[in-house]
Amino acid sequence: MDLGAPAVWLRDNCSCPSCRHPGSGQKLFAIGDIPEDLRIESMVETGGQVRVRFTPDGHESRFDAVWLRRWWSATDAPPPDDRTEDAKRTWTVRKLGDVPEATWAAYQSDPAVTAQALEDVLRVGFVILRDVEPRDGRVLDVASSFGFVRNTNYGPLFDVRIEPDPTNLAFTALAIGPHTDNPYRDPVPTLQLLHCLTNAASGGDTGLIDGFRAAAILREESPDAFETLANTAVTFRFRSPDADLQATRPMIGLDPYGRIREIRINNRSMRPVRLAPAATEHFYAAYRAFHAVLDRPELRFVTHMRAGDCVVFDNTRVLHARTAFDGPPGQRHLQGCYADIDGLASTLALIRRNLA
Ligand code: OGA
Ligand code: ZN
Ligand code: ZN
């Protein structure tokens, strides 16, 4: 028989006890240990097993036939990657349908609700948890419910409220345009949480935008602008007395197959671009075009966070914004923190394992 699988592929996936550590299943050999002139001597299927004999070293491998047919497929389709646009349900406000939400009580007590909420973060890009007690530090409990808090130079959590000497527009009552947080970090925090402790102010509405959808629209309408943003590295920087951070990445990050995988955009921390004059003009035209798409009302889900609301979102995909507000200091207070999306995906997988 011949499934078309190259000898080196079969051998690299041999699971015999001399190739794999019996307890952990991990490989005991390196790629260089496989003979370069390896060939299949024979391949026979019997009783659900495929036995392969290799030359020149006479090594023998046995594969479960079902496993082999599932894993060996002569395809050049990109591998599934949950972080890319392929795995997402991208949305405009109209397409969003019901707001992904759950009460904190149900989320905590019912694994099916937890699973749905975490699934929403992965597929839709966000979930709003309601009635999370508006208490100092509670946002950390929310993050701990599915993963680990990402500690940064801001500490485990940060406060968003009016400050007398603001070091960031976030600490004023001014509007903040759509952005992703901390683009100056590498790796960037993949999840962000914002928990509302008080919001008596008028205004201060939260806007959420699916950056993958916006980028896909740009690709459709202005392919040239899309390519420019995907292929231009931008430097983001943050400096304070106790931190000096920078990262250089494109605004639209693609995977090796060209799929949208990461959006990084924040005009507050962007450094001057350094390109030739024509390329600079070109970049700005593309940046402006993307901004115009992000600015479309049909893409912006708007909500007024109330005390107890906690939004959890994919900071590599969903941009957030807020409108200006008025009212004396103290009337609007959010607490936020960062966490990692791989941990959330792992927690969801474990819940599913237990629910199955
Ligand atoms: C932030 C931020 C939004 C808000 O602090 O990163 O974007 O609603 N805040 O205040
Ligand atoms: Zn082997
Ligand atoms: Zn922000």
Side-chain angles (χ1 to χ4, degrees):
M1 70 180 300
D2 183 9
L3 292 175
V8 65
W9 183 92
L10 291 163
R11 180 61 165 274
D12 192 38
N13 290 297
C14 181
S15 60
C16 83
S18 67
C19 286
R20 301 280 184 141
H21 184 247
S24 65
Q26 295 192 336
K27 274 175 199 166
L28 294 166
F29 61 92
I31 185 64
D33 297 327
I34 300 177
E36 237 183 304
D37 55 350
L38 188 78
R39 283 183 301 112
I40 299 168
E41 190 181 280
S42 64
M43 192 169 187
V44 187
E45 182 165 358
T46 38
Q49 271 210 337
V50 176
R51 284 168 55 183
V52 182
R53 237 187 113 75
F54 297 96
T55 69
D57 61 358
H59 194 83
E60 206 174 288
S61 307
R62 285 157 198 253
F63 298 93
D64 178 78
V66 174
W67 183 94
L68 193 53
R69 290 205 169 80
R70 178 145 47 92
W71 279 94
W72 173 256
S73 48
T75 171
D76 53 10
D81 175 357
D82 269 1
R83 293 284 303 281
T84 68
E85 59 179 320
D86 278 4
K88 309 300 188 190
R89 182 160 79 77
T90 67
W91 48 269
T92 60
V93 176
R94 199 168 49 79
K95 287 246 164 69
L96 185 60
D98 290 340
V99 178
E101 62 182 343
T103 66
W104 177 234
Y107 171 91
Q108 282 183 296
S109 60
D110 184 347
V113 175
T114 320
Q116 185 58 53
L118 301 184
E119 167 93 16
D120 285 339
V121 177
L122 294 179
R123 304 286 161 236
V124 183
F126 76 97
V127 70
I128 303 176
L129 298 173
R130 310 282 189 192
D131 306 324
V132 180
E133 297 137 90
R135 276 214 323 254
D136 181 47
R138 208 75 175 102
V139 70
L140 300 176
D141 298 331
V142 177
S144 303
S145 74
F146 57 73
F148 301 95
V149 173
R150 167 90 85 95
N151 206 351
T152 70
N153 53 298
Y154 303 126
L157 65 74
F158 52 88
D159 289 284
V160 185
R161 59 188 159 191
I162 294 179
E163 286 181 8
D165 253 325
T167 54
N168 190 309
L169 284 189
F171 312 142
T172 69
L174 296 171
I176 308 177
H179 65 282
T180 61
D181 260 34
N182 292 203
Y184 42 78
R185 290 184 206 282
D186 190 12
V188 76
T190 43
L191 286 179
Q192 181 171 354
L193 290 80
L194 285 172
H195 180 210
C196 180
L197 300 188
T198 48
N199 195 0
S202 71
D205 292 346
T206 300
L208 298 173
I209 298 151
D210 185 350
F212 281 16
R213 182 69 170 226
I217 292 172
L218 186 70
R219 181 172 56 198
E220 186 76 24
E221 295 179 357
S222 322
D224 181 58
F226 178 86
E227 286 303 315
T228 300
L229 295 185
N231 293 307
T232 307
V234 174
T235 297
F236 299 94
R237 187 171 196 196
F238 175 81
R239 273 208 288 184
S240 73
D242 54 8
D244 197 331
L245 295 153
Q246 70 172 46
T248 301
R249 306 290 299 163
M251 288 181 171
I252 300 175
L254 307 181
D255 81 349
Y257 307 92
R259 297 178 290 192
I260 300 164
R261 199 175 191 278
E262 182 183 298
I263 304 298
R264 216 182 264 245
I265 199 161
N266 193 322
N267 65 346
R268 285 170 290 150
S269 51
M270 195 177 141
R271 301 282 289 159
V273 291
R274 298 169 104 170
L275 297 163
T280 304
E281 301 273 11
H282 208 71
F283 167 80
Y284 270 101
Y287 179 22
R288 183 187 294 275
F290 192 30
H291 176 83
V293 175
L294 290 167
D295 229 18
R296 292 181 188 170
E298 65 265 29
L299 261 65
R300 191 169 312 196
F301 166 73
V302 179
T303 181
H304 185 80
M305 286 182 83
R306 289 171 312 151
D309 288 349
C310 181
V311 56
V312 182
F313 58 95
D314 180 346
N315 187 50
T316 66
R317 172 184 170 195
V318 171
L319 291 86
H320 59 291
R322 76 149 191 244
T323 59
F325 58 96
D326 50 41
Q331 288 213 333
R332 186 179 188 274
H333 184 191
L334 310 184
Q335 279 188 332
C337 71
Y338 303 111
D340 292 310
I341 202 164
D342 56 349
L344 182 147
S346 167
T347 302
L348 176 59
L350 291 181
I351 296 171
R352 290 245 169 83
R353 216 189 270 174
N354 290 330
L355 285 176

